[in-house]
Amino acid sequence: QVTLKESGPGILQPSQTLSLTCTFSGFSLSTYGMGVGWIRQPSGKGLEWLANIWWDDDKYYNPSLKNRLTISKDTSNNQAFLKITNVDTADTATYYCARIDIGTTFFDYWGQGVMVTVSS
Amino acid sequence: DIQMTQSPSSMSVSLGDTVTITCRASQDVGIYVNWFQQKPGKSPRRMIYRATNLADGVPSRFSGSRSGSDYSLTISSLESEDVADYHCLQYDEYPNTFGAGTKLELK
């Protein structure tokens, strides 16, 4: 059974760094073809893809966030991470992590999401 | 970036209707389009993958199709549990891009 769960700070101030953790089970990021992606959704709005990391440590980022994103993984502990630097109120959103299986498709399993508010 | 132009943005529907939602890709994305259902306060749920494949556990009244750069999600004989938001995604190229979403509302 594949499960994912996001965790984060809940609230942070502008200019701080947002650190998110995705803890998963039922698959391994050391297995060929597996990956984890991060997607966010401001309240009442659409989904925005942020970044993907693959089993071979390949990483891809949304260029609209320029150089603010860093994705990483801890294969031993079945975790993936996303950092967003210099946050602004526009980064207020629910953040999701989701599994990628190159053999089938992207984002077949999703976490429950974690709400992050950026406010002074 | 590849744009996924999703239409309509909202739709007023009745139970039993056949509903079709479309995403038009700004360039060729092949079969690499997924459809997701999202209910209020919940995570997206994959419904269709690789344009036409029904995900496990998804009712057969859902189907996906492709005509050129147009990708469609069709719900036949709409049930109350199908009232939700729907999103398309292209993952042929980076950055992966979602459509703006379609909100189904009951008349």
Side-chain angles (χ1 to χ4, degrees):
Chain A
Q1 180 188 3
V2 174
T3 65
L4 303 96
K5 186 173 183 179
E6 307 86 349
S7 57
I11 187 165
L12 66 167
Q13 295 184 335
S15 80
Q16 290 185 321
T17 295
L18 170 60
S19 295
L20 298 167
T21 300
C22 175
T23 303
F24 54 86
S25 63
F27 70 100
S28 173
L29 263 181
S30 61
T31 299
Y32 173 88
M34 290 299 168
V36 167
W38 285 94
I39 302 102
R40 72 179 179 182
Q41 184 175 38
S43 180
K45 298 192 176 180
L47 299 165
E48 179 182 29
W49 172 75
L50 299 175
N52 294 343
I53 189 165
W54 292 92
W55 83 99
D56 59 359
D57 213 35
D58 245 359
K59 300 165 187 175
Y60 295 87
Y61 297 103
N62 191 327
S64 71
L65 278 84
K66 297 189 173 73
N67 297 320
R68 298 174 53 213
L69 300 177
T70 304
I71 193 170
S72 60
K73 61 182 171 71
D74 178 349
T75 303
S76 301
N77 290 306
N78 284 342
Q79 292 181 314
F81 310 97
L82 184 71
K83 290 188 189 298
I84 306 178
T85 60
N86 193 26
V87 297
D88 181 74
T89 54
D91 296 307
T92 294
T94 297
Y95 287 77
Y96 298 99
C97 62
R99 190 184 80 154
I100 304 169
D101 179 352
I102 201 171
T104 51
T105 191
F106 278 33
F107 312 144
D108 54 356
Y109 294 90
W110 292 63
Q112 64 189 26
V114 60
M115 184 171 290
V116 174
T117 301
V118 179
S119 174
S120 56
Chain B
D1 298 2
I2 296 174
Q3 307 302 316
M4 297 296 284
T5 303
Q6 187 169 345
S7 61
S9 57
S10 64
M11 183 183 287
S12 188
V13 299
S14 299
L15 299 182
D17 281 354
T18 293
V19 173
T20 298
I21 302 166
T22 299
C23 277
R24 174 165 290 175
S26 61
Q27 60 192 75
D28 181 32
V29 295
I31 62 170
Y32 300 108
V33 171
N34 288 355
W35 289 95
F36 300 91
Q37 177 192 68
Q38 188 179 26
K39 296 185 178 180
K42 300 294 186 183
S43 308
R45 172 193 178 192
R46 181 188 57 154
M47 306 299 281
I48 301 289
Y49 66 99
R50 292 189 176 179
T52 61
N53 294 276
L54 197 67
D56 290 345
V58 175
S60 59
R61 62 181 179 273
F62 288 85
S63 63
S65 62
R66 173 193 179 189
S67 176
S69 61
D70 288 343
Y71 298 81
S72 296
L73 172 72
T74 298
I75 311 170
S76 304
S77 192
L78 187 91
E79 298 191 6
S80 57
E81 65 184 29
D82 304 333
V83 176
D85 295 339
Y86 291 87
H87 309 271
C88 64
L89 162 75
Q90 73 78 20
Y91 59 100
D92 183 57
E93 285 191 9
Y94 286 109
N96 301 152
T97 46
F98 288 90
T102 295
K103 186 177 190 67
L104 299 187
E105 297 171 305
L106 279 177
K107 286 180 182 173

